[in-house]
Amino acid sequence: MTLPQAPLQNILDKHPHDESSLIMLLQDVQEAYRYLPPEILVEIAKTLNVPKAKVFGVATFYKAFSMEPRGETEIKVCCGTACHVRGSTLIMDEFKRTLGVEEGGTTEDGKFTLEAVNCVGTCAMAPVIVVKDVYHGHMTVNKLGKLLKSLNPKKAKTTGAKAS
Amino acid sequence: MKNSKLTSPEKLARLKGKLLKQRQKQRPIITVCAGTACVACGCVPLTAAFREALKENGLEDKIEIRTTGCHGFCERGPLVVLQPEGIFYQQVKPADAKSIIEQTIQNGELVEKLLYRDPQTKQVLTHEKDIPFYSKQMRLIFGMNGHMDPTSIHDYIALGGYAALARSFLEMQPEDIIEEVKKSGLRGRGGGGFLTGKKWATCRKAPGEPKYIICNADEGDPGAFMDRSLLEGNPHAVVEGMIIGAYAIGSHDGYVYVRHEYPLAVKNLNIAIEAAREFGLLGENIFSSGFDFDIKVSRGGGAFVCGESTALMASLEGKIGEPRAKYIHTVTSGLWGKPSTLNNVETWANVPMIIEKGADEYAKVGTEGSKGTKVFALTGKVNNTGLVEVPMGMTLREIVFDIGGGIIENRPFKAVQTGGPSGGCLPESALDMPVDFDTLTEIGSMMGSGGLIVMDNLTCMVDLAKYFIHFLQEESCGKCTPCREGLRQLHHMLEKVTRGEGGVEILDDIERLCMVMENASLCALGSSAPNPVMSTLKYFRNEYLAHLEEQRCPAGVCKDLITYSVIEENCTGCVVCKRACPVDAIEGEKKEVHKINSDICTRCGICLAVCKFDAIFVE
Ligand SMILES: Cc1cc2nc3c(=O)[nH]c(=O)nc-3n(C[C@H](O)[C@H](O)[C@H](O)COP(=O)(O)O)c2cc1C
Ligand code: SF4
Ligand code: SF4
Ligand code: SF4
Ligand code: FES
Ligand code: FES
């Protein structure tokens, strides 16, 4: 796979070329490519004149970065404390089961990435999930099935959606 | 009005006067809360509906719509407050915009169904200030949120913003400011409760140039969102606090390190910084004093440990966020080895108020050792979830029951967790304790950043301890063994407890391991990690014992110890659960009592959620 160079060049031009820009650069790359392609990390190491090991170290240390392409749709399940005490585990478990992936995993067809996140600031509607920047509050395993079905009718056949 | 640089405090005062006059002309105002929670429940289409309705009634020029940051009462969002009267409408839908304008704005009639009804007294309350959720609070820091558009520096100035900055430059020497902050008794709101004035004084005296000041907006506590709401709703207060701090300490470079999931906070903060520059409040030669200061915003990489001071600074330098041993404090050698002052968002937001009111006035609020107010994220099994600001020293009972409105569905209170992953769980007997830094530490928890999570009889304390340990295990940077391996083993042991395995002896192992971690970890992530475990063991040992001795989870949470069954008397045979069960664990014919096969059942909870006849039983 060849990667488009244009976004990278823009990103490199936006920041001063020293080590302190590294995290911000990686953030922009993550945003543009939805992950950190290794060849781009090498390119960044060269440009900033930082050892490759350091770039990869930073890239793998922080949760904001992913070394593998993320799915088209990110499903963020809030696993913050408030959501936890209101049952987010059940929601997470059900997503894992229906999507057939673990936390942080992407479905084989590349459609969904399942992510656990911390408090998203809407504890009043706990438990909360965020899909494509839309907040879904007071989630139940039951609602989850319907939601998945609306996102991807094929995938959600086996869930609680049956109840609807 | 053309924006020109405010080259002197007098010019600022003149601008404020002008803005106030303008504000008087423009009333009334429809305030729509546009904090995260209200956005999530639809305030954007609501605002559009208001604009539409104003247009229809030809009122666009007579009435202003102001979108603000979080008002705190997120439970009832989207919120609309009509100023100047303070009429409070809750859970407002776009369809209601028209009636609000036609009935209330034009005819002075209230829209009954949108008013708040006190669940306890059943009284209908019209004004924000009468609602118990608000009336028991003391909203010194957070109160401004509801009265301004966070993207408008004019709003902030009209409300008295930057007056403290003017006062510092006009009347005070840097040493006076530090003295004033010391005298106020302000303690850091980020967790440890360090005396802010003392920190500043040390940093000012520390040799080395340049000096840095940093705002910690990493907000790692997974159940808290007040720093976020402050930055989103009142970013100028933080900026003003930082400029005053910079002047006092003698720093020309400031940083704000913001948690990466907070795009709106970053946006509003950047708008505020840009505006402050435009008005000459940031940049070179502030108020023609010859003093320069500017602020850069840096987004975090998503690591809890980066809230720790040395890790945060490493991260700002573009490195892996690993803490270092603090033989030398960051006030002496911090960012790039230079003297650095790190304070929390809320700490910075307290500074302008101290300077404006004076330390003595400020210190009238609070307790002996903890002055001022504290913002808490009140969440969990409580009726009124939201952000609350109370004077230090208020009791937990007042917060949970008077402001929070008690436990949902009137279930029994079990515990309240404070301090996030480094804090502890407190039982009912602690409810009458005053909430301040020292008391909370004394009873085995801590203030932390201000998460306050309420739990009822359906929360399992072992599961909660396991939750925090799991969180910390994921977030440990792995640099030192007691924390990295300790958390792994601790999680493993707690997992065993939740399966009812290991016998009572396992509790001794847990306690011993906790002691080692407390004493031998390099940074506070590891050394405070045992708190959630130790506090639950101290106050809720019986629950651990129920798991270990009776293989029973009293709260009905731990999946390995519970079974789902059908209560025969209640089951109507409606087949809903059978259809919903994802693993076909339920058998039964129409109109007959159903049965759950517990060998197949995965305890997913769906049947419980769908049964309308309370016929599913968990034990
Ligand atoms: C693991 C860990 C995480 C922390 N996270 C935060 C945080 O998210 N926000 C914060 O303000 N302080 C956090 N702190 C506390 C900071 O290290 C530091 O004490 C604080 O920012 C100082 O500011 P203050 O004196 O105004 O409280 C954390 C500390 C530790 C050990
Ligand atoms: S205590 Fe934990 S987080 Fe802190 S340095 Fe050690 S391993 Fe890292
Ligand atoms: S949903 Fe409830 S009432 Fe209906 S069959 Fe199942 S257990 Fe019985
Ligand atoms: S808990 Fe889930 S798996 Fe078990 S019977 Fe109910 S619906 Fe089926
Ligand atoms: S903990 Fe989930 S939104 Fe706050
Ligand atoms: S976001 Fe509107 S009240 Fe909190």
Side-chain angles (χ1 to χ4, degrees):
Chain A
M1 180 169 60
T2 49
L3 291 158
Q5 279 296 310
L8 177 64
Q9 202 48 54
N10 288 343
I11 292 167
L12 285 173
D13 292 345
K14 237 170 62 189
H15 301 278
H17 290 181
D18 58 47
E19 188 179 349
S20 64
S21 311
L22 180 56
I23 293 175
M24 281 179 274
L25 261 163
L26 296 183
Q27 270 161 343
D28 290 352
V29 171
Q30 173 78 41
E31 220 154 87
Y33 296 86
R34 284 196 285 148
Y35 77 116
L36 302 180
E39 44 284 44
I40 286 188
L41 294 184
V42 173
E43 190 70 30
I44 288 176
K46 255 195 259 157
T47 315
L48 300 192
N49 202 13
V50 174
K52 265 188 273 180
K54 224 170 193 164
V55 176
F56 278 83
V58 169
T60 48
F61 181 84
Y62 292 101
K63 255 183 40 205
F65 306 134
S66 149
M67 300 298 284
E68 275 155 30
R70 296 214 173 148
E72 282 161 41
T73 306
E74 274 184 293
I75 297 179
K76 297 181 184 166
V77 181
C78 179
C79 295
T81 322
C83 287
H84 179 81
V85 304
R86 289 205 198 167
S88 63
T89 315
L90 289 179
I91 309 286
M92 189 49 135
D93 286 352
E94 187 58 12
F95 266 123
K96 283 193 209 161
R97 203 185 59 79
T98 45
L99 295 176
V101 294
E102 285 302 304
E103 252 177 66
T106 302
T107 52
E108 263 172 37
D109 58 7
K111 281 227 159 72
F112 297 105
T113 297
L114 180 61
E115 260 199 292
V117 294
N118 295 323
C119 185
V120 293
T122 55
C123 310
M125 348 193 301
V128 186
I129 68 165
V130 187
V131 182
K132 296 185 179 161
D133 292 328
V134 180
Y135 288 68
H136 302 264
H138 303 293
M139 271 315 273
T140 60
V141 263
N142 198 30
K143 274 194 188 167
L144 172 162
K146 292 179 201 171
L147 177 76
L148 263 184
K149 204 169 174 183
S150 72
L151 289 168
N152 186 3
K154 222 171 63 219
K155 196 100 210 167
K157 248 192 341 239
T158 52
T159 67
K162 281 201 299 179
S164 58
Chain B
M1 194 175 333
K2 202 182 142 296
N3 297 331
S4 56
K5 280 208 191 287
L6 302 168
T7 45
S8 68
E10 294 76 28
K11 283 201 176 152
L12 173 73
R14 234 174 294 146
L15 173 64
K16 180 183 166 185
K18 226 156 76 184
L19 290 169
L20 279 178
K21 242 189 237 142
Q22 232 180 29
R23 278 199 149 205
Q24 257 142 27
K25 268 188 261 157
Q26 255 171 8
R27 287 170 175 189
I29 299 166
I30 300 172
T31 333
V32 184
C33 175
T36 313
C38 286
V39 170
C41 44
C43 79
V44 177
L46 174 63
T47 313
F50 270 121
R51 284 197 205 292
E52 188 64 26
L54 282 183
K55 210 154 118 202
E56 262 172 40
N57 290 287
L59 292 169
E60 299 126 289
D61 302 326
K62 301 211 176 70
I63 287 156
E64 192 186 334
I65 296 177
R66 182 180 291 150
T67 50
T68 71
C70 174
H71 293 213
F73 205 0
C74 310
E75 185 76 41
R76 298 296 176 134
L79 301 184
V80 170
V81 183
L82 304 183
Q83 300 290 11
E85 305 90 339
I87 296 171
F88 178 85
Y89 287 141
Q90 44 141 33
Q91 295 173 336
V92 184
K93 305 254 157 358
D96 301 322
K98 214 168 143 174
S99 25
I100 291 179
I101 290 194
E102 288 170 4
Q103 289 180 36
T104 314
I105 304 260
Q106 294 193 310
N107 293 326
E109 288 162 18
L110 295 170
V111 184
E112 201 74 26
K113 67 164 188 178
L114 299 175
L115 291 172
Y116 178 80
R117 179 188 292 268
D118 190 314
Q120 252 105 47
T121 62
K122 304 281 176 251
Q123 216 184 340
V124 176
L125 300 166
T126 310
H127 297 103
E128 194 176 10
K129 61 178 190 333
D130 300 326
I131 296 169
F133 177 82
Y134 288 113
S135 62
K136 300 256 161 68
Q137 293 188 45
M138 186 183 263
R139 294 159 59 84
L140 303 181
I141 302 289
F142 216 63
M144 244 178 167
N145 266 25
H147 295 275
M148 63 182 195
D149 176 348
T151 61
S152 160
I153 191 172
H154 280 161
D155 277 6
Y156 184 67
I157 291 174
L159 291 172
Y162 289 111
L165 181 69
R167 173 148 194 250
S168 329
F169 277 69
L170 209 58
E171 298 169 21
M172 299 169 94
Q173 291 303 312
E175 290 81 2
D176 303 335
I177 296 175
I178 293 181
E179 231 12 79
E180 202 68 14
V181 174
K182 266 191 186 164
K183 221 165 72 182
S184 75
L186 175 65
R187 294 173 68 172
R189 304 297 196 236
F194 304 108
L195 285 163
T196 307
K198 205 168 145 193
K199 197 188 257 183
W200 290 15
T202 320
C203 191
R204 176 167 179 84
K205 284 196 215 102
E209 286 289 332
K211 292 184 164 80
Y212 295 105
I213 68 163
I214 308 165
C215 170
N216 190 342
D218 199 39
E219 193 153 72
D221 177 348
F225 56 105
M226 52 264 150
D227 291 348
R228 165 194 202 141
S229 295
L230 261 175
L231 276 183
E232 287 178 0
N234 192 359
H236 281 290
V238 179
V239 171
E240 184 179 3
M242 287 181 75
I243 308 172
I244 295 171
Y247 176 61
I249 291 161
S251 160
H252 307 291
D253 297 291
Y255 286 89
V256 185
Y257 187 85
V258 192
R259 190 174 137 189
H260 93 109
E261 291 106 334
Y262 288 1
L264 183 61
V266 171
K267 185 173 153 225
N268 286 0
L269 181 62
N270 274 323
I271 293 174
I273 289 172
E274 202 42 60
R277 279 193 199 122
E278 200 182 312
F279 280 69
L281 303 168
L282 274 177
E284 285 174 9
N285 200 13
I286 297 170
F287 283 145
S288 316
S289 64
F291 177 75
D292 311 332
F293 177 66
D294 212 335
I295 298 176
K296 289 194 192 78
V297 179
S298 192
R299 272 162 64 209
F304 173 67
V305 70
C306 285
E308 196 274 344
S309 52
T310 56
L312 185 148
M313 292 177 198
S315 182
L316 272 178
E317 292 171 14
K319 302 194 175 100
I320 287 173
E322 274 180 357
R324 61 159 174 82
K326 283 195 273 191
Y327 308 114
I328 304 169
H329 289 288
T330 49
V331 277
T332 317
S333 174
L335 190 58
W336 288 296
K338 301 295 177 193
S340 308
T341 295
L342 173 72
N343 279 122
N344 166 263
V345 172
E346 197 183 330
T347 314
W348 289 116
N350 267 276
V351 170
M353 191 165 61
I354 292 170
I355 300 301
E356 209 193 333
K357 285 186 170 182
D360 294 330
E361 193 59 33
Y362 177 88
K364 279 185 186 157
V365 176
T367 61
E368 183 64 33
S370 309
K371 298 298 183 194
T373 59
K374 177 78 192 88
V375 184
F376 290 99
L378 181 61
T379 64
K381 306 284 186 74
V382 66
N383 277 318
N384 300 335
T385 298
L387 292 175
V388 305
E389 181 179 352
V390 298
M392 297 271 191
M394 187 179 253
T395 65
L396 282 167
R397 188 184 299 281
E398 288 171 284
I399 300 178
V400 173
F401 288 91
D402 295 348
I403 297 174
I407 313 298
I408 37 179
E409 291 169 16
N410 270 326
R411 285 201 290 260
F413 168 92
K414 185 188 272 183
V416 51
Q417 208 277 349
T418 73
S422 317
C425 287
L426 300 170
E428 191 160 8
S429 60
L431 273 179
D432 292 309
M433 292 284 183
V435 176
D436 66 16
F437 287 105
D438 308 313
T439 313
L440 285 178
T441 309
E442 237 165 72
I443 55 180
S445 184
M446 63 185 259
M447 179 76 85
S449 53
L452 224 156
I453 294 127
V454 180
M455 284 160 274
D456 63 3
N457 60 330
L458 300 181
T459 317
C460 170
M461 302 314 275
V462 184
D463 174 74
L464 189 80
K466 189 178 82 172
Y467 163 79
F468 280 120
I469 296 304
H470 175 72
F471 171 82
L472 290 166
Q473 187 196 348
E474 297 261 302
E475 296 294 340
S476 160
C477 81
K479 183 169 176 171
C480 69
T481 321
C483 168
R484 184 186 64 238
E485 295 304 319
L487 282 166
R488 219 161 71 129
Q489 294 308 325
L490 203 50
H491 185 243
H492 180 66
M493 287 194 274
L494 288 169
E495 194 126 75
K496 272 176 117 171
V497 179
T498 56
R499 287 199 304 263
E501 294 164 11
V504 181
E505 308 80 61
I506 202 170
L507 297 184
D508 297 333
D509 293 341
I510 290 178
E511 277 170 352
R512 218 168 5 199
L513 179 57
C514 283
M515 210 179 66
V516 174
M517 291 173 62
E518 227 172 280
N519 290 305
S521 295
L522 180 62
C523 86
L525 187 147
S527 64
S528 64
N531 285 351
V533 182
M534 293 305 283
S535 63
T536 44
L537 262 176
K538 179 171 169 192
Y539 294 118
F540 302 95
R541 201 177 184 90
N542 277 343
E543 274 192 47
Y544 282 82
L545 294 178
H547 286 74
L548 292 169
E549 288 176 338
E550 303 164 37
Q551 279 67 47
R552 191 170 64 83
C553 174
V557 173
C558 296
K559 281 192 172 182
D560 291 297
L561 302 181
I562 54 174
T563 46
Y564 279 73
S565 52
V566 175
I567 305 172
E568 293 188 7
E569 302 86 80
N570 291 5
C571 178
T572 62
C574 71
V575 209
V576 166
C577 60
K578 183 179 169 185
R579 270 197 235 123
C581 176
V583 293
D584 296 326
I586 305 180
E587 289 162 25
E589 295 303 317
K590 226 177 176 164
K591 303 222 172 113
E592 276 170 29
V593 171
H594 283 50
K595 219 173 131 43
I596 296 177
N597 183 341
S598 54
D599 293 336
I600 306 178
C601 169
T602 60
R603 296 156 189 95
C604 73
I606 289 183
C607 52
L608 182 69
V610 297
C611 176
K612 293 192 185 72
F613 305 95
D614 285 334
I616 304 283
F617 181 63
V618 187
E619 140 188 86

